[in-house]
């Protein structure tokens, strides 16, 4: 895996242009917000993410030289260098489910391999924000010095914080969310299904 944080300015600009073209010019293959009036859209979206792992592979934040600052719930702006996000989504009961929010480090930082935030999640079926994915941290653990699931006190400050993924495009293998930078610019983050992570967990 090539961390998007290490990409050249030219390559980031190229990828940012491509992601924006997909979002702005191509209809999402799965109608996650029932925009077309097909009430099965949200059900297909839930079935598409359930039981799967999703790795953030790219963010347009800073990709064209205009986006700066932080985005929303899982935007890349606040991530430590050399880290990536994995959304490990469990089973759903209706539109409510469980998930692990993983922050994995490419190289160990002070012995730290990963942070795992045990979370609840849900998909909105209301009329205001249909298809909006939200998750709330319940318990945050870490893998440090090869020892898993040590409680981390100061990361517990995140407990109870609700985060949102505003989906704009989804096809069952790629998941694109929209956030906003502090200056108001739109920022897109791209997740892809991570079958290797699914096999290992």
């Amino acid at each position: 895996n090539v961390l998007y944080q290490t990409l050249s300015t030219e390559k980031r600009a190229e990828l940012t242009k491509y992601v924006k073209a997909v979002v702005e010019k191509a209809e999402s293959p799965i109608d996650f917000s029932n925009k077309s009036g097909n009430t099965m859209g949200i059900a297909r979206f839930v079935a598409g993410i359930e039981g799967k792992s999703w790795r953030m592979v790219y963010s347009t934040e800073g990709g064209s030289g205009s986006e700066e600052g932080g985005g929303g719930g899982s935007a890349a702006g606040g991530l430590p260098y050399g880290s990536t996000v994995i959304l490990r989504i469990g089973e759903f009961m209706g539109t409510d489910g469980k998930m692990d929010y993983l922050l994995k480090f490419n190289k160990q930082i002070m012995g730290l391999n990963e942070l795992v935030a045990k979370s609840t999640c849900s998909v909105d079926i209301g009329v205001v924000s249909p298809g909006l994915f939200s998750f709330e941290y319940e318990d945050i653990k870490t893998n440090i010095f090869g020892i898993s699931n040590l409680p981390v006190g100061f990361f517990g400050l995140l407990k109870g914080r609700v985060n949102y993924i505003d989906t704009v495009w989804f096809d069952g293998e790629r998941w694109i969310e929209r956030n906003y930078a502090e200056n108001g610019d739109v920022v897109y983050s791209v997740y892809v299904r991570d079958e290797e992570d699914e096999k290992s967990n």
Side-chain angles (χ1 to χ4, degrees), residues 60-71:
T60 64
E61 190 158 2
S64 63
S66 61
E67 292 97 340
E68 298 176 352

Side-chain angles (χ1 to χ4, degrees), residues 58-192:
Y58 187 68
S59 172
T60 64
E61 190 158 2
S64 63
S66 61
E67 292 97 340
E68 298 176 352
S74 51
L79 294 182
Y81 185 82
S83 65
T84 190
V85 167
I86 294 179
L87 307 178
R88 192 179 287 160
I89 299 179
E91 293 184 3
F92 272 73
M93 183 71 70
T95 56
D96 297 313
K98 297 279 189 180
M99 67 169 272
D100 288 346
Y101 179 98
L102 280 79
L103 185 60
K104 294 186 77 75
F105 299 98
N106 188 39
K107 294 181 179 178
Q108 290 189 6
I109 300 174
M110 294 177 61
L112 189 62
N113 299 321
E114 65 182 28
L115 294 173
V116 181
K118 300 287 185 181
S119 309
T120 57
C121 60
S122 65
V123 177
D124 197 332
I125 57 174
V127 295
V128 178
S129 302
L132 182 67
F133 183 93
S134 63
F135 59 98
E136 183 174 344
Y137 304 128
E138 290 190 328
D139 194 17
I140 296 177
K141 305 274 179 85
T142 186
N143 181 328
I144 190 167
F145 301 119
I147 304 171
S148 299
N149 294 329
L150 291 174
V152 182
F154 61 93
F155 285 108
L157 294 172
L158 296 170
K159 189 173 183 178
R161 173 184 172 191
V162 179
N163 293 265
Y164 300 94
I165 293 181
D166 183 9
T167 303
V168 291
W169 202 90
F170 181 78
D171 69 353
E173 295 293 329
R174 289 160 291 269
W175 184 359
I176 304 177
E177 72 163 322
R178 174 180 56 200
N179 282 301
Y180 293 93
E182 290 179 356
N183 62 4
D185 283 343
V186 176
V187 175
Y188 297 113
S189 296
V190 182
Y191 300 83
V192 297

Side-chain angles (χ1 to χ4, degrees), residues 20-38:
K20 288 182 176 179
V22 169
V23 171
E24 294 167 5
K25 298 178 181 178
E27 285 288 328
S28 175
I30 293 179
D31 182 15
F32 54 85
S33 62
N34 295 342
K35 185 167 58 176
S36 65
N38 178 4

